[in-house]
């Protein structure tokens, strides 16, 4: 799987939020599964990052 690097560079301003959102989404994908995970041969972390960067999944960090 190839991550969209142009989108990754655009989100570099807050790496903590991106990392936290990716971890949370990867956990969700591991529990529930998704057609994208099956397409990407079970790689939940890469799939979660891709879904966040392509805005398939939106996230909000609350304090």
């Amino acid at each position: 799987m190839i991550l969209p690097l142009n989108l990754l560079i655009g989100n570099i301003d807050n790496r903590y939020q991106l990392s936290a959102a990716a971890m949370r989404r990867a956990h969700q994908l591991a529990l529930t599964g998704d057609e994208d995970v099956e397409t990407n041969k079970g790689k939940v972390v890469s799939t979660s990052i891709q879904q966040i960067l392509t805005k398939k999944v939106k996230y909000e960090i609350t304090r």
Side-chain angles (χ1 to χ4, degrees):
M1 162 191 258
I2 298 174
L3 291 174
L5 292 179
N6 58 334
L7 296 176
L8 184 60
I9 291 169
N11 283 314
I12 204 73
D13 57 326
N14 197 334
R15 289 176 269 182
Y16 171 76
Q17 282 187 353
L18 180 61
S19 298
M23 288 187 301
R24 177 73 141 203
R25 181 62 181 156
H27 181 71
Q28 291 172 346
L29 290 173
L31 293 176
T32 62
D34 189 89
E35 62 185 33
D36 290 342
V37 175
E38 294 174 15
T39 304
N40 295 324
K41 302 175 185 170
K43 298 179 181 178
V44 293
V45 175
S46 299
T47 302
S48 68
I49 294 170
Q50 182 183 32
Q51 287 181 347
I52 291 167
L53 292 177
T54 59
K55 308 240 190 275
K56 181 175 181 180
V57 174
K58 294 184 180 184
Y59 68 93
E60 179 180 338
I61 305 295
T62 57
R63 295 178 190 186

